[in-house]
Amino acid sequence: MNIVLLGAPGAGKGSQAKKIVEHFGLVHISTGDIFRKNIKEQTELGKQVEAYLERGELVPDALTVQVVQDRLSQADCQKGWMLDGFPRTLGQAGILDQKQRIDLVLNLTVDFGVVEARLVSRRVCPACGLVYNTQTYAESVCVCGERLVHRADDQSETVKNRLAVYQAQTEPLIEYYEKAGCIKNIDGMGSVEDVWERTREVLGATRNFLRAMTCGC
Ligand code: ADP
Ligand code: ZN
């Protein structure tokens, strides 16, 4: 099963992504995580993308598409993958369509006022990737023992820019995938567990459908 996860920054993609890949045995490909890892390690790619992430702008399509293509060509992706944070532009979506089969696009929907507040109070674990919110978790350390961080691009000004970029460049993908008939909207309001219940239902139904289509009996 190949899935694309869509949603505004702060819609909860990361939290759902973790649960989806564990439950359904998919490879998790987060372009944001790949970029941040490369920046941390100061690789050639990291140096090229650093300034874009700092400003909350998108990395150019050519570079981003190359990164995703390289990852999707690795053997483990045969068992199915979930793209988190890609595609983010119509250009990226068009190229992905030419190269890969997508079974489902999940779109997490959340009010804009809510995502802004969520991002500014978001804290992440640089070691295991768990995501927290200062309003519901007052500790400064992850359950794995690592110190939590406030991502540089989660500061208020950058957040505003990321949301504007999302509206201008990524939101049109919803209509694009609606036309293709493969998108399902999921209400992203409420707790991570509430949203997971809804997500699991939709994914379970899709998997059963795909099995029924491919099973010879
Ligand atoms: P969020 O979904 O919380 O905004 P991500 O971790 O997905 O954050 O992405 C962080 C940053 O990485 C983006 O603001 C952008 O600069 C860059 N990035 C991630 N995915 C893409 C993409 N598909 N195209 C261009 N830039 C991207
Ligand atoms: Zn951790």
Side-chain angles (χ1 to χ4, degrees), residues 52-157:
Y52 296 103
L53 271 85
E54 247 164 43
R55 291 192 295 262
E57 286 168 15
L58 293 184
V59 173
D61 280 357
L63 205 53
T64 310
V65 165
Q66 192 57 51
V67 164
V68 172
Q69 265 175 210
D70 286 351
R71 184 65 191 90
L72 285 175
S73 67
Q74 288 168 22
D76 59 340
C77 288
Q78 294 292 333
K79 65 180 178 182
W81 42 257
M82 193 198 55
L83 283 170
D84 162 8
F86 183 95
R88 250 178 161 96
T89 65
L90 287 169
Q92 293 176 9
I95 295 171
L96 183 65
D97 269 348
Q98 285 166 17
K99 310 259 177 201
Q100 299 284 338
R101 186 198 79 238
I102 300 171
D103 297 310
L104 178 69
V105 177
L106 278 183
N107 179 36
L108 281 179
T109 61
V110 181
D111 297 344
F112 252 57
V114 172
V115 291
E116 195 171 340
R118 275 189 189 176
L119 288 173
V120 174
S121 55
R122 173 161 82 175
R123 298 294 180 271
V124 294
C125 173
C128 72
L130 274 179
V131 180
Y132 297 88
N133 192 293
T134 53
Q135 275 148 12
T136 51
Y137 187 83
E139 312 291 322
S140 57
V141 173
C142 179
V143 288
C144 80
E146 184 79 16
R147 214 171 170 77
L148 297 175
V149 299
H150 190 196
R151 264 170 51 179
D153 62 348
D154 279 347
Q155 318 287 334
S156 176
E157 274 318 298

Side-chain angles (χ1 to χ4, degrees), residues 25-26 42 47-48 56 70 73 80 93 100 167 170 186 197 200:
L26 306 173
Q42 281 293 295
K47 287 178 195 160
Q48 280 177 288
D70 286 351
S73 67
Q100 299 284 338
Q167 275 186 307
T170 309
I186 293 184
E197 279 301 311
R200 198 172 51 184

